[in-house]
């Protein structure tokens, strides 16, 4: 991919992702307290990754061509500026992605190290109260003194790691904490969080992506709170456990760099406490259908693929589709498929020798 092509791709991808996040933000604005919001943000991060793969892996449609714009005698100068800017942005973007992925790998390694050092525990007093199963698999309880907040993990077997410091809590509070982490596992939140981290690594420069991550974290915690607490008496016990962690945070405790801990900032804890205290326990929690919202999101994601900013001056206006990117071209050639990986009449825009 040429520097000018990268400039067009990254600018257009930023616009596409902004449109998608904006639509989901509108759909969840009045529905943020619904149990369905966490699924909407998971779909958002999945579609952002799809947008990224399509942008850098397959041709894109061209509704407009930069060659239709009159540059007068400044065409070559504008083209040089565009190429230089594309090179600079490519280096900066690759550097940011590399740093983000390294931090993710280091954090994941730290998490795995904690899991290996954790000690299995069996709390018989909780087994009767908690259904420690998800997806037909038993959940293994572990304890560790290397973490100060509970977290869950799921690859081959679902795990819940409890800080050793909270094992002395009253049994009912400990049961509510385990129930909350169990709901994270049942909802597939470890996978949602992993997708979120990948999106943050690729779109590290995009402020709306970080905003969507914050909304996703909030919605996951609200969902698990709703699923864990079923009565005002349970809410009282659960509030005590939240206040316990809030007090710990004031004393200063750190979480895993990988972000696999479902962290609670003071503002998030305050919102969770407020929602639980103001919740109406007289009726069951309303479950709203996501079908029409998902349909709107999918249509938005599909239409956003047409949003390409015409910045590549070397692009031909004689083809509705751009050339195939180089890496996917090699893959297709190895399969015996000859895709077009060049600009039609691209030689018109470059000096060439007829001899």
């Amino acid at each position: 991919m040429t520097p000018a092509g990268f400039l067009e791709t990254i600018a257009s991808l930023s616009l596409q992702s902004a449109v998608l996040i904006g639509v989901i933000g509108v759909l969840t604005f009045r529905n943020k307290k619904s149990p369905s919001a966490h699924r909407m943000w998971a779909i958002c991060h999945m579609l952002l990754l799809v947008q990224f793969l399509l942008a850098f892996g397959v041709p894109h449609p061209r509704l407009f061509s930069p060659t239709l714009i009159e540059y007068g005698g400044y065409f070559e100068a504008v083209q040089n500026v565009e190429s230089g800017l594309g090179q600079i942005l490519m280096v900066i973007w690759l550097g940011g992605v590399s740093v983000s992925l390294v931090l993710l790998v280091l954090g994941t390694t730290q998490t795995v190290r904690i899991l290996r050092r954790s000690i299995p525990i069996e709390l018989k007093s909780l087994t009767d109260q908690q259904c420690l199963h998800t997806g037909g698999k038993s959940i293994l309880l572990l304890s560790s003194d290397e973490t100060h907040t509970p977290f869950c993990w799921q690859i081959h077997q679902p795990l819940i790691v409890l800080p050793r410091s909270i094992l002395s809590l009253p049994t009912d509070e400990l049961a509510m904490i385990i129930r909350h982490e169990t709901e994270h596992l049942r909802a597939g939140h470890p996978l949602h969080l992993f997708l979120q981290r990948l999106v943050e690594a690729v779109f590290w420069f995009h402020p709306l992506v970080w905003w969507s991550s914050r909304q996703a974290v909030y919605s996951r915690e609200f969902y698990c709170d709703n699923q864990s607490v079923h009565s005002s008496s349970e809410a009282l016990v659960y509030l005590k456990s939240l206040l316990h962690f809030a007090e710990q945070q004031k004393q200063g405790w750190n979480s895993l760099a990988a972000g696999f801990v479902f962290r609670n900032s003071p503002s998030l804890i305050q919102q969770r406490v407020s929602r639980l205290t103001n919740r109406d326990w007289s009726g069951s929690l309303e479950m709203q259908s996501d079908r029409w919202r998902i349909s709107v999101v999918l249509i938005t994601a599909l239409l956003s693929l047409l949003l390409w900013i015409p910045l590549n001056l070397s692009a031909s206006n004689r083809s509705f589709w751009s050339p195939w990117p180089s890496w996917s071209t090699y893959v297709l050639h190895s399969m015996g498929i000859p895709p077009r990986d060049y600009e039609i009449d691209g030689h018109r825009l470059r000096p060439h020798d007829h001899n």
Side-chain angles (χ1 to χ4, degrees):
M1 179 176 291
T2 64
F6 175 81
L7 177 63
E8 180 179 270
T9 300
I10 203 68
S12 303
L13 187 59
S14 300
L15 176 60
Q16 294 173 9
S17 59
V19 170
L20 179 61
I21 294 173
V23 169
I24 294 181
V26 171
L27 291 175
T28 58
F29 178 72
R30 294 185 178 181
N31 197 41
K32 66 176 70 174
K33 296 181 180 181
S34 169
S36 63
H38 73 116
R39 288 192 292 267
M40 297 297 296
W41 289 114
I43 292 173
C44 174
H45 290 137
M46 181 180 64
L47 290 177
L48 287 174
L49 290 177
V50 171
Q51 284 182 336
F52 170 78
L53 294 176
L54 292 178
F56 284 95
V58 300
H60 62 265
R62 287 171 172 165
L63 301 181
F64 305 97
S65 174
T67 56
L68 299 177
I69 303 175
E70 295 293 336
Y71 290 95
Y74 299 99
F75 182 87
E76 185 175 350
V78 174
Q79 192 176 30
N80 292 334
V81 171
E82 180 184 71
S83 179
L85 181 60
Q87 288 179 341
I88 294 174
L89 290 180
M90 184 181 297
V91 172
I92 294 176
W93 178 75
L94 287 175
V97 172
S98 300
V99 171
S100 299
L101 291 178
V102 168
L103 292 177
L104 178 59
V105 171
L106 291 177
T108 304
T109 303
Q110 178 189 2
T111 305
V112 173
R113 187 181 302 117
I114 291 177
L115 291 175
R116 290 177 177 175
R117 295 175 181 175
S118 298
I119 301 174
I121 58 176
E122 183 178 356
L123 302 176
K124 296 182 178 180
S125 58
L126 298 178
T127 303
D128 297 334
Q129 304 175 33
Q130 297 291 98
C131 184
L132 294 177
H133 292 83
T134 176
K137 296 182 179 180
S138 298
I139 299 174
L140 179 62
L141 292 178
L142 303 173
S143 68
S144 173
D145 54 7
E146 298 182 54
T147 179
H148 300 280
T149 182
F151 69 95
C152 58
W153 177 275
Q154 185 169 14
I155 297 182
H156 300 295
Q157 181 178 10
L159 306 171
I160 293 177
V161 180
L162 301 175
R164 200 160 298 168
S165 59
I166 72 169
L167 296 181
S168 59
L169 289 177
T171 301
D172 54 354
E173 293 185 31
L174 198 56
M176 296 303 299
I177 293 173
I178 294 176
R179 186 186 297 182
H180 179 88
E181 296 301 324
T182 300
E183 293 300 333
H184 276 305
L185 290 170
R186 289 174 177 169
H189 287 169
L191 176 59
H192 295 180
L193 187 56
F194 179 71
L195 293 177
Q196 175 186 319
R197 292 291 180 251
L198 290 181
V199 169
E200 292 171 354
V202 172
F203 294 90
W204 60 268
F205 58 90
H206 205 311
L208 281 182
V209 168
W210 292 102
W211 178 82
S212 71
S213 294
R214 186 166 62 253
Q215 301 306 308
V217 171
Y218 286 9
S219 63
R220 286 194 292 260
E221 294 300 329
F222 294 159
Y223 170 81
C224 291
D225 287 347
N226 289 334
Q227 297 299 110
S228 303
V229 182
H230 307 296
S231 64
S232 57
S233 59
E234 289 184 347
L236 180 60
V237 175
Y238 192 58
L239 287 172
K240 291 180 181 179
S241 66
L242 287 178
L243 293 176
H244 171 82
F245 289 113
E247 183 64 27
Q248 274 195 335
Q249 187 157 346
K250 288 182 180 180
Q251 299 174 1
W253 50 268
N254 47 10
S255 57
L256 300 181
F260 288 104
V261 172
F262 294 96
R263 295 173 293 185
N264 287 309
S265 64
S267 61
L268 177 55
I269 292 180
Q270 183 178 3
Q271 289 187 46
R272 294 173 64 187
V273 170
S274 176
R275 292 182 72 253
L276 287 173
T277 53
N278 295 327
R279 179 172 165 182
D280 182 12
W281 301 100
S282 60
S284 59
L285 191 65
E286 181 181 359
M287 299 293 290
Q288 300 180 2
S289 174
D290 286 341
R291 291 184 179 180
W292 73 270
R293 293 184 180 86
I294 293 176
S295 299
V296 171
V297 169
L298 293 178
I299 292 174
T300 300
L302 183 62
L303 293 178
S304 69
L305 299 178
L306 300 175
L307 300 176
W308 280 84
I309 305 175
L311 296 177
N312 186 2
L313 298 185
S314 300
S316 172
N317 61 357
R318 299 190 62 190
S319 175
F320 179 75
W321 293 95
S322 69
W324 281 82
S326 57
W327 73 269
S328 54
T329 299
Y330 296 145
V331 173
L332 292 176
H333 272 298
S334 66
M335 300 171 60
I337 303 175
R340 179 175 69 86
D341 58 348
Y342 56 88
E343 290 286 0
I344 297 177
D345 287 345
H347 65 281
R348 293 183 178 181
L349 302 176
R350 298 186 298 271
H352 56 280
D353 187 4
H354 291 283
N355 296 328

